[in-house]
Amino acid sequence: MAYVITQRCCNDASCVTECPVDCIRPRPEDPEFATAEMLHIDPGTCIDCGACVEACPVDAIYADDDLPTRLARYAEINAAYFAQNPLDTTVSSADPPQRLPRDLETLRVAIVGTGPAACYAAENLLSRGNVEIEMFDRLPAPWGLARYGVAPDHFETRRVTDMFAAAFKRDAVRFHLNVEVGRDISHAELLAHCHAVIYAVGASSDRQLGVPGEDLPGCWSATEFVAWYNGHPDSADYEFDFSGERAVIVGNGNVALDAARILTTDPDQLAATDIAVHAIEALRRSNIREVVLLGRRPLANASFSGPEFLALSDLPDTAIVIDPTDIDDGVRAALDDPTTDSALRLKLDLATDYAKRDRSADKRIVFRFLTSPAALSGPDRVRSIDCVRNEMHPTPDGLVARPTAEVETIETSLVLRAIGYRGKPIPDVPFDEAAGVVPNDHGRVVDAGTPTPGTYVAGWIKRGPRGVIGSNRGDAEQTVSALVDDFMSGQLSAPGQDREALAALIDQRCPDIVDRDGWTAIDRAEKAAGAAAGRPRMKFTRVAEMVAAARS
């Protein structure tokens, strides 16, 4: 018997360090780790010790003879990875985190953000020894995208926050929630109380389509839709038009698949998750029966991951529609080529299978490749979208998609753009408008190529919106290593004020601040309300409600 990693894998890599026979790949220090869709266990080397199961924060690992039927294919997926990438038993070159010498003063760091990137940075700092961490979030609840970005039917993935909560119980970490850096306290004031500031604020904005009619009511960003169904306080009052029978999603990454799944899943099934109550009520009234996903490039270049594509097969009474013409000579050649990457092979295999299936079902998720939006139309709101057929053309930089004269009009009352996130400028911090990130060198913020003393970034605001939750772990370690190196070499100025002065300043300006105990009260209240309704939790969707629960 061997253990098998399945679809919920978040690439956290906690399992890698626990494996006594080093049979989990890729490792964080391996070049392919940054782009890996998931991790894999070599079935020929696994000794069935179960250490990885205990380490996994999202319960993604099963014994192969205990795999649920819907996950049975993952035994084959794990084996296929190692058939193409034989296990390299070279000793890991990863060095343990550098500990701070005991004779140095306490390193105090402010971390702006409490999502996965921020939490991995805090976790890594704690492993260095003598540190104090001040964590800030503008909302009264922590965990960022782990709370407000993960789809509610993937609730196991959110369990990574349990690991963070356990690590942050010590006094070295303080939560300053419902405090907005740049409004309630400035960057300069943080540096007056801390040696350094790490911004891990994510990429909360979205990319535009750049087509006529995009500003019509009925066209939303997937960012807004995801925040709405996950109960984000900024989005609680949004109203989406589900009166039509078709929705169109521009983009075919994992966020697009999440949105399509939510729009087609039986609301009674979603009601067993922590989806927002207002979302359930609206989805119960929905008339949507078909969701069309537009991808401007061919099937082989689709942005979704194999595990998320495979998860669509679990949707009851929903047909996954792939046009058989998309299974072209290029797809067949890739499937016949033994050197084709195993992750790509999985996607092409699945698409080939979907293309052969019966399309008759109550609901449909339709994939359209080589298709881009050209315009949105309607007298007062979106009623249709014009789509142009693309062709791939060779250029010095590789193949690019270019529009043809072939245009099709699709009737729809709802359009979601899911073509990527981008960061927002941070007050008093340099920003690259073109790239949508803070310019940096290995996490050190730079301004015109010159490092900005004491200022660092981690996560999507550092590298752009790429990777899954666990991808932030190595990214955060790189940033923290740079920060610690600068501290030990004397490049960080000692703060003039201590952490008690910082706490007093924040208390004075933010009477509704929520600390760790306050968040614990909110968490307890949400879980209690959920338990009474047979759900894992019922989120508060108003800041005032959360503050009141924290005060209780």
Side-chain angles (χ1 to χ4, degrees), residues 38-55:
M38 62 181 293
L39 307 185
H40 305 273
I41 297 173
D42 180 18
T45 309
C46 178
I47 59 172
D48 186 25
C49 69
C52 56
V53 179
E54 297 297 324

Side-chain angles (χ1 to χ4, degrees), residues 39-239:
L39 307 185
H40 305 273
I41 297 173
D42 180 18
T45 309
C46 178
I47 59 172
D48 186 25
C49 69
C52 56
V53 179
E54 297 297 324
C56 179
V58 295
D59 295 340
I61 304 178
Y62 293 78
D64 57 5
D65 55 0
D66 288 336
L67 278 169
T69 302
R70 64 185 178 83
L71 299 176
R73 189 163 185 169
Y74 282 95
E76 174 189 331
I77 292 169
N78 276 256
Y81 176 86
F82 288 99
Q84 189 174 66
N85 305 277
L87 186 66
D88 177 6
T89 56
T90 303
V91 176
S92 172
S93 60
D95 295 322
Q98 184 179 18
R99 299 279 296 179
L100 293 168
R102 293 184 178 180
D103 57 349
L104 283 182
E105 63 181 313
T106 300
L107 171 62
R108 190 179 312 126
V109 179
I111 300 178
V112 183
T114 59
C119 290
Y120 281 123
E123 186 181 59
N124 192 278
L125 277 165
L126 290 171
S127 71
R128 308 288 181 143
N130 191 20
V131 298
E132 293 174 345
I133 301 170
E134 316 291 336
M135 299 191 74
F136 291 84
D137 200 298
R138 71 179 184 87
L139 294 176
W143 315 138
L145 277 182
R147 176 177 167 93
Y148 293 118
V150 175
D153 57 345
H154 286 359
F155 61 89
E156 298 95 340
T157 304
R158 292 204 179 110
R159 290 179 182 166
V160 71
T161 61
D162 295 339
M163 177 180 68
F164 298 141
F168 300 160
K169 287 181 178 179
R170 63 190 80 176
D171 292 338
V173 181
R174 286 184 177 177
F175 278 2
H176 307 282
L177 308 177
N178 205 29
V179 177
E180 185 170 348
V181 173
R183 182 194 66 187
D184 300 320
I185 188 168
S186 69
H187 174 70
E189 287 172 324
L190 288 181
L191 284 178
H193 295 82
C194 301
H195 292 89
V197 182
I198 298 176
Y199 288 94
V201 293
S204 58
S205 184
D206 65 282
R207 299 186 184 280
Q208 302 291 305
L209 299 177
V211 301
E214 185 176 7
D215 57 347
L216 281 170
C219 179
W220 297 81
S221 73
T223 311
E224 294 167 318
F225 184 59
V226 170
W228 172 78
Y229 66 62
N230 273 322
H232 194 294
D234 291 350
S235 311
D237 294 324
Y238 291 165
E239 294 184 4

Side-chain angles (χ1 to χ4, degrees), residues 325-353:
T325 61
D326 287 316
I327 313 302
D328 55 18
D329 291 341
V331 170
R332 285 186 283 270
L335 288 172
D336 290 338
D337 185 350
T339 66
T340 297
D341 177 72
S342 60
L344 174 58
R345 180 180 297 279
L346 172 61
K347 291 195 281 190
L348 300 183
D349 266 335
L350 288 169
T352 302
D353 180 49

